[in-house]
Amino acid sequence: MTPAMHAQCGGVRALVARPSQARRIGRFARFSRFGGAVEPTPKLCKRALLHKRLGFACRASEQEEGDADNKNMELISTVGTFGLYFAFVGYNLFLAPNQTPYQDQYVVQKLLKLVDDEFVVNRVLVDLFQAFPIITALYASVLIPSARSANKIPAWPFVSVSFALGGFALFPYFALWKPDASVKSPPGPEELEGLSGIGLKVSESKFLGIFLALAAVYYIGDAALAGGDSWKEFYSLAISSRFVHATTIDFTALNLLLPFWLSVDASKRSWGKDKETLVNILSYIPLVGPSIYLAIRPRTESQA
């Protein structure tokens, strides 16, 4: 076999242990008794190269099929989440109870301190309304640093609007979000510099988690101590007022979805297996648990 042929063949040599194995290769190979090797003929070389190329083609085809499957799953996830979002919006706009529209406007003004009179808003509703900034701050603290999307859609516009609209603003981002393996948390010191890093600095501060935990304990405790009459009145409002009904559903949905985003944040921060149980426990304690997680999670050294 000439050097040129050997180079063209890519040095293909089929190693065998005895002549019987050589005979299985067929008439395109010659067996050498010395070294137990089959000397490839030109036709065998062509076959070997063909199989090699077919192997590369098959692997490329499998990778393409895998990429296509991933894209299909992402499309299904996006369409499904948007479907749930529009169902959520449609329900609250058209199917939710709306027996007290004028009272709802007044209650909103009262909660926003736009009206000053002797009317007292239900205590449980006040606590629920005051707790909304806590859960939106929790989402801001995990979405902005750790849940950046692979399609480069920023989280901060959705998070900013969520302080006014809650889940109605966040759910579209959930639908559009795509995992990005290149995102690393906690953010590096260079990301915390300048005006653009102010938001990250706040979200990465352990004092934010401590403050949110204390606020959560206060409002949950106040609602728990409101008394049976306040809870009965709240239930009556929830089944008659669109504002109270939608607010309750929104708050519940955000609490149910938060454990997933906490797990995303924890995985980006490379917490060990021993911390997974702790993260799972904290994520399912409404408001207080996620706030404690913010206070103890790994962070940039300059923010520790």
Side-chain angles (χ1 to χ4, degrees), residues 156-205:
W156 67 264
F158 301 89
V159 170
S160 299
V161 179
S162 72
F163 281 92
L165 299 180
F168 290 95
L170 288 175
F171 294 155
Y173 182 74
F174 298 164
L176 296 170
W177 178 78
K178 294 181 180 180
D180 188 352
S182 66
V183 174
K184 302 295 181 183
S185 280
E190 68 281 355
E191 296 184 73
L192 303 178
E193 297 177 356
L195 293 176
S196 60
I198 293 177
L200 279 176
K201 281 184 180 179
V202 174
S203 67
E204 287 295 312
S205 172

Side-chain angles (χ1 to χ4, degrees), residues 8-29:
Q8 183 180 5
C9 189
V12 177
R13 298 178 67 86
L15 297 180
V16 294
R18 53 187 182 274
S20 60
Q21 289 179 309
R23 285 194 293 273
R24 294 192 199 122
I25 298 176
R27 59 190 179 86
F28 301 114

Side-chain angles (χ1 to χ4, degrees), residues 63-143:
Q63 184 175 1
E64 290 176 359
E65 289 178 1
D67 292 342
D69 290 340
N70 290 336
K71 289 181 180 179
N72 289 337
M73 290 301 297
E74 288 177 357
L75 179 61
I76 292 172
S77 175
T78 298
V79 172
T81 307
F82 266 121
L84 291 174
Y85 171 68
F86 288 122
F88 176 72
V89 173
Y91 172 79
N92 284 287
L93 288 179
F94 304 109
L95 298 177
N98 189 27
Q99 301 175 15
T100 58
Y102 297 107
Q103 179 180 323
D104 285 357
Q105 295 178 15
Y106 174 76
V107 169
V108 172
Q109 292 175 348
K110 188 73 176 177
L111 290 170
L112 295 175
K113 309 295 184 182
L114 300 177
V115 177
D116 185 14
D117 56 25
E118 297 180 356
F119 178 76
V120 178
V121 180
N122 177 263
R123 185 172 169 183
V124 178
L125 177 58
V126 172
D127 291 326
L128 175 63
F129 187 79
Q130 298 293 343
F132 246 100
I134 299 176
I135 196 165
T136 48
L138 291 171
Y139 271 98
S141 298
V142 295
L143 291 181

